[in-house]
Amino acid sequence: MADATPYEDSTTPSPTVLSQDITLNWKTKATVRLYRPAVIPPKKKLPLIIYLHGGDFVLYSASTVIYHNFCNDIAAAFPAIVISVEYRLAPENRLPAAYFDGLNAVLWAQNQSLGIGGQDPWLEYADFTKTYLLGSSAGANIAYHVALQLLDYDLRPVKIKGLLMNQAFFGGLTRTQSEKNLIEDAYVPLYVNDVLWSLALPTYMNRDHEYCNPISGGSYMGRVKGLPKVYIKGDYGDPLVDRSILLAQYLQSCKVPVYYRFNQGGYHGIELQNTSAAQQLYNDMTWFVNDVYQNLNSQDLSHHHASY
């Protein structure tokens, strides 16, 4: 049985969302932070969101305030049960360590659905047949690779219904036009981007490795067609935006259902600082999870230009 440590927000007398930390493995110190709405109607089942935070594979944790607040918001907005994964960071733990941690969190959720080791009472409210992987920045990269790895597993009764990628952190040896245009970006300047990838990738692997550049080839390419529906969000003021456009185009070519939003302007991590951008993202994700695709595009992406 996993051990839990409840958290209370002293600034909110009556919180709308409750959270607790769960230790999955004392030896590896693997943990997740679990969120649930404070009030759930009897016998109500909520979607299960498995969340991977941002931080360029090197920074932050599930307990970082901006990501903790983000999970509070989406647990309330959907509403949903949220599992925020505390994955290992580079350079001490280079990729694919974070992918393994994300994968193990999903397998833990499956064990919970089967009652193996005892089920956390909060997960009694989860509809495991409506499980979604959600990631921001580096977390979106992790979510993508975890989704591909999960194609090798029989997860029943868990069913991965969709993948949500917000401003995904991908790269490549050849610069995209958005990277060239925003080389001195205040949030993701190109030289910092280069250093972060040098810390995250396996030693001696370059930035066309599939962990960094998902459309460059590699072992995953033939498996992409097995992915569930995908939501992709990007901003044209983010130097990483072309990477998301290229991936969305590739997924569409593999007949994966892709829903997307690419906003004019903006910047990397805008939803963590701008309440209007955050609300738009929450609305999109809520519609995607609930199968209502208002104001989301699913047509061909060929009119979006992303070039090297």
Side-chain angles (χ1 to χ4, degrees), residues 52-64 66-67 85-93 98 136-139 142 169 187 192 196 199-200:
L52 290 308
H53 67 79
D56 313 312
F57 303 109
V58 177
L59 303 168
Y60 310 129
S61 74
S63 61
T64 300
I66 53 175
Y67 299 119
V85 182
E86 186 68 89
Y87 58 84
R88 288 170 290 173
L89 300 177
E92 293 81 5
N93 300 281
S136 298
S137 191
I142 298 168
F169 190 72
Y187 296 93
V192 172
L196 291 167
L199 296 174

Side-chain angles (χ1 to χ4, degrees), residues 103 106-107 133 145-155 160 223:
L103 176 66
V106 178
L107 296 178
L133 302 181
H145 287 285
V146 170
L148 288 166
Q149 290 174 0
L150 288 172
L151 297 176
D152 290 336
Y153 290 80
D154 181 354
L155 294 174
I160 306 297
R223 302 160 65 183

Side-chain angles (χ1 to χ4, degrees), residues 87-116:
Y87 58 84
R88 288 170 290 173
L89 300 177
E92 293 81 5
N93 300 281
R94 292 174 178 267
L95 296 174
Y99 302 155
F100 291 145
D101 293 341
L103 176 66
N104 286 332
V106 178
L107 296 178
W108 173 76
Q110 182 190 28
N111 285 342
Q112 288 285 297
S113 72
L114 296 169
I116 297 175

Side-chain angles (χ1 to χ4, degrees), residues 17 58 74 90-91 117 161 223 239 245 250 259 262 278-279 301-302:
V17 174
V58 177
I74 62 175
K161 294 282 288 182
R223 302 160 65 183
I245 294 172
Y250 174 69
Y259 298 85
F262 292 104
Q279 190 59 56
L301 272 156
S302 58

